[in-house]
Amino acid sequence: MDTNRLRIAVQKSGRLAEKSFEILKAAGLKLRYSKNDLYCRVQNMDIDLLLIRDDDIPELVNNDVCDLGIVGGNVVAEFQARADEPENIRQVETLGFADCRLDLAVPKDWNYRGPQDLEGKVIATSYPALTKAFIGEHGLNTQVVEMSGAVELAPRLGIADLICDLVSTGATLEANNLKPVSTLYSSQAIMIGNLKPLNEAKQAVFARLLQRVRGVLASRENKYVMMNAPKASVPAISALLPGASAPTVIQLAGREDQVAIHAVCAEGVFWETMEKLRDVGASAILVLPIEKMMA
Ligand code: PRP
Ligand code: ZN
């Protein structure tokens, strides 16, 4: 193993996999891998990817087999709630995809009033540590049954009264006649790292990668907005542009009173904003995606 190559654990397949590769590719990593690979050598940077099950990622970063990991916050939170020793993991960055919630869900015909209704019940879950922490916080006498999959079937099978499971669209709960009643944890994909300082070579690669990843995230959140307008409208237009720094104002050739206005805006350039811009005099309004950003 090359100790100067940064090693990143990534989910091989599942809810995060595709978008994890997408963000790394957008950060300029040249990746080639096939379905059965457990390992992928990045061709243009000193980085290797380990392609594994998401549940194994926190442990591999924790014990320093990998320097970084891209994983659901839910998996990390469960790992931390389970650990009886202090862990060596830190959150490096939130990545803004794979949003989901860890919810308590009960049969639809339950009239759930609050945690007190869980007294004496049985909860099935793949997140026993987070579930037990919730039970503990509320001082309840509630049993937790750990299942590794198909948790949503537990109430119907008579294994449990309710479940604690990940919900993203809610379709799985709906299909199983369950309803969410309480959120224990709100999750998204995060990048985690080991607390131990990296050696110089790895640190340089890491700093470069992180700057690029942040650039990818920023470019997704920002839009490039262009329009023409009478000079007199510039102050009103500037005030309307959401999250923009000082816009660029350019004189239009052969049109004394007309300018072009360009600005980078934080997302939220909705139709309503465009209509307001037009109302204060803007025309030919364009909102464009930004491919890359570097401060
Ligand atoms: C989760 C969860 C549900 C489903 C919910 O499983 O266990 O089955 O997603 O999604 P929905 O609300 O959009 O229907 P996932 O596929 O993430 O597998 P994992 O928990 O084993 O990683
Ligand atoms: Zn999993």
Side-chain angles (χ1 to χ4, degrees), residues 219-220 222-225 286-293:
S219 72
R220 286 180 182 171
N222 289 272
K223 300 279 180 256
Y224 196 79
V225 185
L286 295 179
V287 178
L288 309 172
I290 296 172
E291 191 181 281
K292 292 184 176 68
M293 281 181 98

Side-chain angles (χ1 to χ4, degrees), residues 109-265:
D109 55 13
W110 262 41
N111 171 26
Y112 179 85
R113 292 158 304 172
Q116 71 274 13
D117 288 356
L118 303 176
E119 183 66 27
K121 301 285 197 236
V122 180
I123 308 180
T125 186
S126 310
Y127 294 82
L130 290 173
T131 307
K132 283 176 187 161
F134 177 83
I135 290 168
E137 271 164 38
H138 292 276
L140 298 163
N141 175 31
T142 304
Q143 200 192 323
V144 174
V145 177
E146 181 171 358
M147 290 176 74
S148 53
V151 173
E152 60 276 1
L153 297 180
R156 237 195 298 159
L157 296 174
I159 300 169
D161 300 297
L162 69 153
I163 68 171
C164 179
D165 200 11
L166 292 186
V167 180
S168 99
T169 60
T172 304
L173 292 186
E174 188 62 39
N176 289 280
N177 213 29
L178 300 167
K179 62 178 179 188
V181 292
S182 183
T183 296
L184 273 54
Y185 184 84
S186 292
S187 181
Q188 62 169 301
I190 60 176
M191 181 183 277
I192 54 170
N194 189 287
L195 284 176
K196 210 181 78 182
L198 297 166
N199 72 32
E200 209 177 313
K202 281 187 179 185
Q203 178 60 35
V205 179
F206 169 66
R208 204 160 156 223
L209 173 72
L210 187 59
Q211 185 179 44
R212 289 191 186 184
V213 165
R214 287 183 172 150
V216 172
L217 297 172
S219 72
R220 286 180 182 171
E221 284 163 11
N222 289 272
K223 300 279 180 256
Y224 196 79
V225 185
M226 318 196 289
M227 71 207 74
N228 293 341
K231 245 182 202 163
S233 303
V234 172
I237 287 172
S238 300
L240 281 172
L241 292 172
S245 46
T248 307
V249 179
I250 310 154
Q251 181 69 53
L252 287 184
R255 301 280 310 269
E256 265 303 289
D257 56 330
Q258 287 278 318
V259 292
I261 301 171
H262 291 201
V264 174
C265 291

Side-chain angles (χ1 to χ4, degrees), residues 10-161:
V10 180
Q11 188 187 36
K12 186 179 170 59
S13 63
R15 81 165 56 232
L16 279 93
E18 200 181 318
K19 292 219 164 104
S20 302
F21 292 119
E22 212 177 275
I23 205 166
L24 292 173
K25 284 180 186 164
L29 277 66
K30 288 222 169 359
L31 310 174
R32 211 185 301 144
Y33 55 92
S34 54
K35 271 273 168 280
N36 296 318
D37 289 350
L38 299 174
Y39 172 84
C40 164
R41 192 180 163 91
V42 176
Q43 292 152 29
N44 60 339
M45 279 175 93
D46 286 338
I47 297 175
D48 294 324
L49 305 183
L50 241 63
L51 315 179
I52 52 178
R53 259 167 46 99
D54 63 343
D55 311 66
D56 294 334
I57 293 176
E59 180 57 29
L60 287 178
V61 174
N62 189 53
N63 64 22
D64 208 19
V65 171
C66 293
D67 304 298
L68 299 174
I70 296 179
V71 64
N74 54 300
V75 176
V76 179
E78 176 68 14
F79 178 79
Q80 290 173 322
R82 236 178 245 235
D84 32 35
E85 288 165 28
E87 331 83 35
N88 310 312
I89 294 178
R90 71 185 176 103
Q91 178 172 314
V92 173
E93 190 57 84
T94 54
L95 300 175
F97 65 88
D99 295 2
C100 61
R101 310 179 318 255
L102 182 65
D103 278 358
L104 287 180
V106 303
K108 272 191 179 163
D109 55 13
W110 262 41
N111 171 26
Y112 179 85
R113 292 158 304 172
Q116 71 274 13
D117 288 356
L118 303 176
E119 183 66 27
K121 301 285 197 236
V122 180
I123 308 180
T125 186
S126 310
Y127 294 82
L130 290 173
T131 307
K132 283 176 187 161
F134 177 83
I135 290 168
E137 271 164 38
H138 292 276
L140 298 163
N141 175 31
T142 304
Q143 200 192 323
V144 174
V145 177
E146 181 171 358
M147 290 176 74
S148 53
V151 173
E152 60 276 1
L153 297 180
R156 237 195 298 159
L157 296 174
I159 300 169
D161 300 297

